[in-house]
Amino acid sequence: MAGSPDLWSRWGEFGKFNSRGLKGGEALILELNRIVYSSGFTSPVTSRRGLSARLRYLDSPAGREALKDQGVTVRTLRSWMKGKSTPTAGNRERIDSAYWHRRRENLIRSGWLKRHLDNDGRGRRMEIYPVDQSQVPAERSRPTLSQRSITVRYIWSDLVDAWAAQDSDTVDEIWDDVISDLDSDYNAYAHVSSVGIGA
């Protein structure tokens, strides 16, 4: 794009001309969260089945600690477990938060997430969706940006470690490694609309 080499090389002024998206590393974090959330109970906490499943899952010292961190007392938990009372809507949200916290921690600790993404060394297919330029003036848009699809290997262990540690700087570095496998246009994918991992 004439006159603005920095804008399209590293999106130094990202959003200046109404382009919409997020940093590639942020998109990776959101996609890992989606994978974790899609691996859990499908019944919502508002249903009897979903509530019971979560309470059973949390019936351990670590689970009770997660509930305590959400503000649930031991006495209240005992009352639920014995069927003497039913959690309020607010407490159901606390139970759900505790469940997802424990689910995330267990998937990390067990190594399941790393193994799942590594796929026996074959890696995973990643779809990269470019920034939304629908509101960018025609003279400022970059028509060559398109959806990209690549097989990504070798990053998964480091990515899960960085995601688990909430180390966004390392996730950003890993994203740079991912897009460097594109072509000379790779810098234009420093920001994206989203990414999808075939997992």
Side-chain angles (χ1 to χ4, degrees):
M1 184 176 65
S4 300
D6 290 340
L7 174 62
W8 291 111
S9 62
R10 293 301 293 177
W11 299 92
E13 298 179 74
F14 183 74
K16 180 177 180 180
F17 300 109
N18 297 318
S19 52
R20 295 179 181 154
L22 65 163
K23 288 167 56 179
E26 293 171 352
L28 271 181
I29 290 168
L30 290 175
E31 182 62 0
L32 287 181
N33 290 344
R34 181 199 66 79
I35 291 168
V36 168
Y37 278 100
S38 67
S39 71
F41 297 130
T42 56
S43 299
V45 72
T46 51
S47 72
R48 187 178 202 176
R49 180 177 179 177
L51 175 62
S52 295
R54 283 162 177 77
L55 288 174
R56 283 194 303 272
Y57 191 88
L58 294 167
D59 191 13
S60 68
R64 289 187 284 277
E65 189 63 29
L67 285 165
K68 182 180 175 184
D69 290 343
Q70 293 295 322
V72 175
T73 67
V74 173
R75 182 177 177 181
T76 300
L77 179 58
R78 278 199 203 107
S79 179
W80 295 340
M81 293 293 194
K82 292 178 180 179
K84 292 183 177 179
S85 65
T86 303
T88 62
N91 279 332
R92 284 176 189 255
E93 288 181 14
R94 292 183 181 94
I95 292 166
D96 199 44
S97 293
Y99 163 69
W100 285 113
H101 174 77
R102 285 307 309 147
R103 176 78 180 160
R104 179 182 185 275
E105 294 300 310
N106 286 338
L107 291 178
I108 293 166
R109 181 184 49 77
S110 69
W112 176 87
L113 189 56
K114 288 183 181 181
R115 290 191 306 274
H116 182 65
L117 293 169
D118 182 61
N119 196 23
D120 291 326
R122 294 188 300 271
R124 292 287 176 179
R125 200 82 183 147
M126 185 182 293
E127 303 292 329
I128 303 172
Y129 300 92
V131 296
D132 177 2
Q133 299 185 85
S134 60
Q135 303 301 312
V136 176
E139 68 275 11
R140 295 289 185 177
S141 68
R142 186 168 185 151
T144 58
L145 290 184
S146 60
Q147 177 183 330
R148 304 297 296 270
S149 182
I150 58 173
T151 298
V152 180
R153 299 180 179 89
Y154 314 119
I155 67 159
W156 301 113
S157 181
D158 291 340
L159 176 60
V160 170
D161 286 343
W163 170 78
Q166 299 183 13
D167 181 355
S168 59
D169 290 338
T170 299
V171 173
D172 286 340
E173 290 172 14
I174 291 169
W175 178 251
D176 280 346
D177 289 344
V178 169
I179 61 175
S180 68
D181 283 341
L182 296 175
D183 50 30
S184 58
D185 209 25
Y186 79 94
N187 275 332
Y189 294 88
H191 285 73
V192 297
S193 290
S194 64
V195 300
I197 298 170

CSV table of all heavy atoms in Angstrom, one decimal, residues 8-47:
chain,number,residue,atom,x,y,z
A,8,TRP,N,1.1,-1.9,6.9
A,8,TRP,CA,0.8,-3.3,6.4
A,8,TRP,C,1.9,-4.3,6.8
A,8,TRP,O,1.8,-5.5,6.6
A,8,TRP,CB,0.5,-3.2,4.9
A,8,TRP,CG,-0.8,-2.5,4.7
A,8,TRP,CD1,-0.9,-1.3,4.1
A,8,TRP,CD2,-2.1,-3.0,5.1
A,8,TRP,NE1,-2.3,-1.0,4.1
A,8,TRP,CE2,-3.0,-2.0,4.7
A,8,TRP,CE3,-2.5,-4.1,5.7
A,8,TRP,CZ2,-4.4,-2.1,4.9
A,8,TRP,CZ3,-3.9,-4.3,5.9
A,8,TRP,CH2,-4.8,-3.3,5.5
A,9,SER,N,3.1,-3.8,7.2
A,9,SER,CA,4.2,-4.7,7.5
A,9,SER,C,3.9,-5.3,8.9
A,9,SER,O,3.9,-6.5,9.0
A,9,SER,CB,5.5,-4.1,7.4
A,9,SER,OG,5.6,-3.0,8.4
A,10,ARG,N,3.7,-4.5,9.9
A,10,ARG,CA,3.5,-5.0,11.2
A,10,ARG,C,2.2,-4.4,11.8
A,10,ARG,O,2.0,-4.4,13.0
A,10,ARG,CB,4.7,-4.7,12.2
A,10,ARG,CG,5.9,-5.4,11.8
A,10,ARG,CD,5.8,-6.9,11.8
A,10,ARG,NE,5.5,-7.4,13.2
A,10,ARG,CZ,5.3,-8.7,13.5
A,10,ARG,NH1,5.3,-9.6,12.6
A,10,ARG,NH2,5.1,-9.0,14.7
A,11,TRP,N,1.4,-3.8,11.0
A,11,TRP,CA,0.1,-3.2,11.5
A,11,TRP,C,0.5,-2.2,12.6
A,11,TRP,O,-0.2,-2.1,13.6
A,11,TRP,CB,-0.9,-4.2,12.0
A,11,TRP,CG,-1.3,-5.2,11.0
A,11,TRP,CD1,-0.8,-6.4,10.7
A,11,TRP,CD2,-2.4,-5.0,10.1
A,11,TRP,NE1,-1.4,-7.0,9.7
A,11,TRP,CE2,-2.5,-6.2,9.3
A,11,TRP,CE3,-3.3,-4.0,9.8
A,11,TRP,CZ2,-3.4,-6.4,8.3
A,11,TRP,CZ3,-4.3,-4.3,8.8
A,11,TRP,CH2,-4.3,-5.4,8.1
A,12,GLY,N,1.6,-1.4,12.4
A,12,GLY,CA,2.0,-0.5,13.4
A,12,GLY,C,0.9,0.5,13.9
A,12,GLY,O,0.9,1.0,15.0
A,13,GLU,N,0.0,0.8,13.0
A,13,GLU,CA,-1.1,1.7,13.3
A,13,GLU,C,-2.4,0.9,13.1
A,13,GLU,O,-3.4,1.4,12.5
A,13,GLU,CB,-1.1,2.9,12.4
A,13,GLU,CG,0.1,3.8,12.5
A,13,GLU,CD,0.1,5.0,11.6
A,13,GLU,OE1,-0.7,5.9,11.9
A,13,GLU,OE2,0.8,5.0,10.6
A,14,PHE,N,-2.4,-0.3,13.6
A,14,PHE,CA,-3.6,-1.1,13.4
A,14,PHE,C,-4.9,-0.4,13.8
A,14,PHE,O,-5.0,0.1,14.9
A,14,PHE,CB,-3.5,-2.5,14.1
A,14,PHE,CG,-4.6,-3.4,13.8
A,14,PHE,CD1,-4.7,-4.0,12.6
A,14,PHE,CD2,-5.6,-3.6,14.8
A,14,PHE,CE1,-5.7,-4.9,12.3
A,14,PHE,CE2,-6.6,-4.5,14.5
A,14,PHE,CZ,-6.7,-5.1,13.3
A,15,GLY,N,-5.9,-0.5,12.9
A,15,GLY,CA,-7.2,0.1,13.2
A,15,GLY,C,-7.3,1.5,12.8
A,15,GLY,O,-8.4,2.1,12.8
A,16,LYS,N,-6.2,2.2,12.4
A,16,LYS,CA,-6.3,3.6,12.0
A,16,LYS,C,-7.3,3.8,10.9
A,16,LYS,O,-8.0,4.8,10.8
A,16,LYS,CB,-4.9,4.1,11.5
A,16,LYS,CG,-4.9,5.5,11.1
A,16,LYS,CD,-3.5,6.0,10.8
A,16,LYS,CE,-3.5,7.4,10.4
A,16,LYS,NZ,-2.1,7.9,10.0
A,17,PHE,N,-7.4,2.9,9.9
A,17,PHE,CA,-8.3,3.0,8.8
A,17,PHE,C,-9.5,2.1,8.9
A,17,PHE,O,-10.0,1.6,7.9
A,17,PHE,CB,-7.6,2.8,7.5
A,17,PHE,CG,-6.4,3.8,7.3
A,17,PHE,CD1,-5.1,3.4,7.4
A,17,PHE,CD2,-6.7,5.2,7.1
A,17,PHE,CE1,-4.1,4.4,7.2
A,17,PHE,CE2,-5.7,6.1,6.9
A,17,PHE,CZ,-4.4,5.7,7.0
A,18,ASN,N,-9.9,1.7,10.2
A,18,ASN,CA,-11.1,0.9,10.5
A,18,ASN,C,-10.9,-0.6,10.2
A,18,ASN,O,-11.9,-1.3,10.0
A,18,ASN,CB,-12.3,1.5,9.8
A,18,ASN,CG,-12.7,2.9,10.2
A,18,ASN,OD1,-12.6,3.2,11.4
A,18,ASN,ND2,-13.0,3.7,9.3
A,19,SER,N,-9.7,-1.0,10.1
A,19,SER,CA,-9.5,-2.5,10.0
A,19,SER,C,-9.8,-3.1,11.4
A,19,SER,O,-9.6,-2.4,12.4
A,19,SER,CB,-8.0,-2.8,9.6
A,19,SER,OG,-7.1,-2.2,10.5
A,20,ARG,N,-10.4,-4.3,11.4
A,20,ARG,CA,-10.8,-4.9,12.6
A,20,ARG,C,-10.2,-6.2,12.8
A,20,ARG,O,-10.2,-7.0,11.9
A,20,ARG,CB,-12.4,-5.0,12.6
A,20,ARG,CG,-13.0,-3.6,12.6
A,20,ARG,CD,-14.5,-3.7,12.6
A,20,ARG,NE,-15.1,-2.4,12.5
A,20,ARG,CZ,-16.3,-2.2,12.0
A,20,ARG,NH1,-17.0,-3.1,11.5
A,20,ARG,NH2,-16.8,-1.0,12.0
A,21,GLY,N,-9.8,-6.5,14.0
A,21,GLY,CA,-9.2,-7.8,14.4
A,21,GLY,C,-8.5,-7.7,15.7
A,21,GLY,O,-8.7,-6.8,16.5
A,22,LEU,N,-7.6,-8.7,15.9
A,22,LEU,CA,-6.9,-8.8,17.2
A,22,LEU,C,-5.5,-9.3,16.9
A,22,LEU,O,-5.3,-9.9,15.8
A,22,LEU,CB,-7.6,-9.6,18.2
A,22,LEU,CG,-7.8,-11.1,17.9
A,22,LEU,CD1,-8.2,-11.8,19.2
A,22,LEU,CD2,-8.9,-11.3,16.9
A,23,LYS,N,-4.6,-9.2,17.8
A,23,LYS,CA,-3.3,-9.8,17.6
A,23,LYS,C,-3.4,-11.3,17.5
A,23,LYS,O,-4.2,-11.9,18.1
A,23,LYS,CB,-2.4,-9.5,18.9
A,23,LYS,CG,-2.0,-8.0,19.0
A,23,LYS,CD,-1.4,-7.7,20.3
A,23,LYS,CE,-0.2,-8.5,20.7
A,23,LYS,NZ,0.4,-8.2,22.0
A,24,GLY,N,-2.5,-11.8,16.6
A,24,GLY,CA,-2.5,-13.3,16.4
A,24,GLY,C,-2.4,-14.1,17.6
A,24,GLY,O,-3.0,-15.1,17.8
A,25,GLY,N,-1.5,-13.6,18.6
A,25,GLY,CA,-1.4,-14.4,19.8
A,25,GLY,C,-2.7,-14.4,20.6
A,25,GLY,O,-3.0,-15.4,21.2
A,26,GLU,N,-3.4,-13.3,20.6
A,26,GLU,CA,-4.7,-13.3,21.3
A,26,GLU,C,-5.7,-14.2,20.7
A,26,GLU,O,-6.4,-14.9,21.4
A,26,GLU,CB,-5.3,-11.8,21.3
A,26,GLU,CG,-4.5,-10.8,22.1
A,26,GLU,CD,-4.9,-9.4,21.9
A,26,GLU,OE1,-5.7,-9.2,21.0
A,26,GLU,OE2,-4.4,-8.5,22.6
A,27,ALA,N,-5.6,-14.3,19.3
A,27,ALA,CA,-6.5,-15.2,18.6
A,27,ALA,C,-6.2,-16.7,19.0
A,27,ALA,O,-7.1,-17.5,19.2
A,27,ALA,CB,-6.4,-15.0,17.1
A,28,LEU,N,-4.9,-17.0,19.2
A,28,LEU,CA,-4.5,-18.3,19.6
A,28,LEU,C,-5.0,-18.7,21.0
A,28,LEU,O,-5.5,-19.8,21.2
A,28,LEU,CB,-2.9,-18.4,19.6
A,28,LEU,CG,-2.2,-18.8,18.4
A,28,LEU,CD1,-0.7,-18.9,18.6
A,28,LEU,CD2,-2.7,-20.2,17.8
A,29,ILE,N,-4.9,-17.7,21.9
A,29,ILE,CA,-5.4,-17.9,23.3
A,29,ILE,C,-6.9,-18.2,23.2
A,29,ILE,O,-7.4,-19.2,23.9
A,29,ILE,CB,-5.1,-16.7,24.1
A,29,ILE,CG1,-3.6,-16.6,24.4
A,29,ILE,CG2,-5.9,-16.8,25.4
A,29,ILE,CD1,-3.1,-15.3,25.0
A,30,LEU,N,-7.7,-17.5,22.5
A,30,LEU,CA,-9.1,-17.7,22.4
A,30,LEU,C,-9.4,-19.1,21.8
A,30,LEU,O,-10.3,-19.7,22.2
A,30,LEU,CB,-9.7,-16.6,21.5
A,30,LEU,CG,-9.8,-15.2,22.1
A,30,LEU,CD1,-10.4,-14.2,21.1
A,30,LEU,CD2,-10.6,-15.2,23.4
A,31,GLU,N,-8.6,-19.5,20.8
A,31,GLU,CA,-8.9,-20.8,20.2
A,31,GLU,C,-8.5,-21.9,21.2
A,31,GLU,O,-9.2,-22.9,21.2
A,31,GLU,CB,-8.1,-20.9,18.9
A,31,GLU,CG,-8.3,-22.2,18.1
A,31,GLU,CD,-9.7,-22.5,17.7
A,31,GLU,OE1,-10.6,-21.6,17.9
A,31,GLU,OE2,-10.0,-23.5,17.1
A,32,LEU,N,-7.5,-21.8,21.9
A,32,LEU,CA,-7.2,-22.8,23.0
A,32,LEU,C,-8.3,-22.9,24.0
A,32,LEU,O,-8.7,-24.0,24.4
A,32,LEU,CB,-5.8,-22.5,23.6
A,32,LEU,CG,-4.6,-22.8,22.8
A,32,LEU,CD1,-3.3,-22.5,23.6
A,32,LEU,CD2,-4.5,-24.2,22.3
A,33,ASN,N,-8.8,-21.7,24.4
A,33,ASN,CA,-9.9,-21.7,25.3
A,33,ASN,C,-11.1,-22.4,24.7
A,33,ASN,O,-11.8,-23.2,25.4
A,33,ASN,CB,-10.3,-20.3,25.7
A,33,ASN,CG,-9.3,-19.6,26.5
A,33,ASN,OD1,-8.4,-20.2,27.1
A,33,ASN,ND2,-9.3,-18.2,26.6
A,34,ARG,N,-11.4,-22.2,23.5
A,34,ARG,CA,-12.5,-22.9,22.8
A,34,ARG,C,-12.3,-24.4,22.8
A,34,ARG,O,-13.3,-25.1,23.1
A,34,ARG,CB,-12.7,-22.4,21.4
A,34,ARG,CG,-13.8,-23.0,20.6
A,34,ARG,CD,-13.7,-23.0,19.1
A,34,ARG,NE,-12.6,-23.7,18.6
A,34,ARG,CZ,-12.6,-25.0,18.4
A,34,ARG,NH1,-13.7,-25.8,18.7
A,34,ARG,NH2,-11.6,-25.6,17.9
A,35,ILE,N,-11.1,-24.9,22.6
A,35,ILE,CA,-10.9,-26.3,22.5
A,35,ILE,C,-11.1,-26.9,23.9
A,35,ILE,O,-11.7,-27.9,24.1
A,35,ILE,CB,-9.4,-26.6,22.1
A,35,ILE,CG1,-9.3,-26.3,20.6
A,35,ILE,CG2,-9.0,-28.0,22.3
A,35,ILE,CD1,-7.9,-26.2,20.0
A,36,VAL,N,-10.6,-26.2,25.0
A,36,VAL,CA,-10.8,-26.7,26.3
A,36,VAL,C,-12.3,-26.7,26.7
A,36,VAL,O,-12.9,-27.7,27.2
A,36,VAL,CB,-10.0,-25.8,27.3
A,36,VAL,CG1,-10.5,-26.1,28.8
A,36,VAL,CG2,-8.5,-26.1,27.2
A,37,TYR,N,-13.0,-25.6,26.4
A,37,TYR,CA,-14.5,-25.5,26.7
A,37,TYR,C,-15.3,-26.6,25.9
A,37,TYR,O,-16.3,-27.1,26.4
A,37,TYR,CB,-15.0,-24.1,26.4
A,37,TYR,CG,-14.7,-23.2,27.6
A,37,TYR,CD1,-13.7,-22.3,27.5
A,37,TYR,CD2,-15.5,-23.2,28.7
A,37,TYR,CE1,-13.4,-21.4,28.6
A,37,TYR,CE2,-15.2,-22.4,29.8
A,37,TYR,CZ,-14.2,-21.5,29.7
A,37,TYR,OH,-13.9,-20.6,30.8
A,38,SER,N,-14.9,-26.9,24.7
A,38,SER,CA,-15.6,-27.9,23.9
A,38,SER,C,-15.3,-29.3,24.4
A,38,SER,O,-16.0,-30.2,24.0
A,38,SER,CB,-15.3,-27.7,22.4
A,38,SER,OG,-14.0,-28.1,22.2
A,39,SER,N,-14.4,-29.5,25.3
A,39,SER,CA,-14.0,-30.8,25.7
A,39,SER,C,-14.7,-31.2,27.0
A,39,SER,O,-14.6,-32.3,27.5
A,39,SER,CB,-12.5,-31.0,25.9
A,39,SER,OG,-12.1,-30.2,27.1
A,40,GLY,N,-15.5,-30.3,27.6
A,40,GLY,CA,-16.1,-30.5,28.9
A,40,GLY,C,-17.6,-31.0,28.8
A,40,GLY,O,-18.0,-31.4,27.7
A,41,PHE,N,-18.3,-30.9,29.9
A,41,PHE,CA,-19.7,-31.3,29.9
A,41,PHE,C,-20.5,-30.5,28.9
A,41,PHE,O,-20.3,-29.2,28.9
A,41,PHE,CB,-20.3,-31.2,31.3
A,41,PHE,CG,-19.6,-32.1,32.3
A,41,PHE,CD1,-19.2,-31.6,33.5
A,41,PHE,CD2,-19.4,-33.4,32.1
A,41,PHE,CE1,-18.6,-32.4,34.5
A,41,PHE,CE2,-18.8,-34.3,33.0
A,41,PHE,CZ,-18.4,-33.7,34.2
A,42,THR,N,-21.4,-31.1,28.2
A,42,THR,CA,-22.3,-30.3,27.3
A,42,THR,C,-23.5,-29.8,28.0
A,42,THR,O,-24.1,-28.8,27.6
A,42,THR,CB,-22.7,-31.2,26.1
A,42,THR,OG1,-23.3,-32.4,26.6
A,42,THR,CG2,-21.4,-31.6,25.2
A,43,SER,N,-23.9,-30.5,29.0
A,43,SER,CA,-25.1,-30.0,29.8
A,43,SER,C,-24.8,-28.8,30.5
A,43,SER,O,-23.8,-28.7,31.2
A,43,SER,CB,-25.6,-31.1,30.7
A,43,SER,OG,-26.0,-32.3,30.0
A,44,PRO,N,-25.6,-27.7,30.4
A,44,PRO,CA,-25.3,-26.5,31.1
A,44,PRO,C,-25.5,-26.6,32.6
A,44,PRO,O,-26.2,-27.5,33.1
A,44,PRO,CB,-26.3,-25.5,30.6
A,44,PRO,CG,-27.4,-26.3,30.1
A,44,PRO,CD,-26.8,-27.6,29.6
A,45,VAL,N,-24.8,-25.8,33.4
A,45,VAL,CA,-24.9,-25.8,34.9
A,45,VAL,C,-26.3,-25.5,35.3
A,45,VAL,O,-26.7,-25.9,36.5
A,45,VAL,CB,-23.9,-24.9,35.5
A,45,VAL,CG1,-24.3,-23.4,35.3
A,45,VAL,CG2,-23.7,-25.2,37.0
A,46,THR,N,-27.1,-24.9,34.5
A,46,THR,CA,-28.5,-24.6,34.9
A,46,THR,C,-29.4,-25.8,34.8
A,46,THR,O,-30.5,-25.8,35.4
A,46,THR,CB,-29.1,-23.5,33.9
A,46,THR,OG1,-28.9,-23.9,32.6
A,46,THR,CG2,-28.4,-22.2,34.1
A,47,SER,N,-28.9,-26.9,34.2
A,47,SER,CA,-29.7,-28.1,34.2
A,47,SER,C,-29.4,-29.0,35.4
A,47,SER,O,-28.3,-28.9,35.9
A,47,SER,CB,-29.5,-28.9,32.9
A,47,SER,OG,-28.2,-29.5,32.9
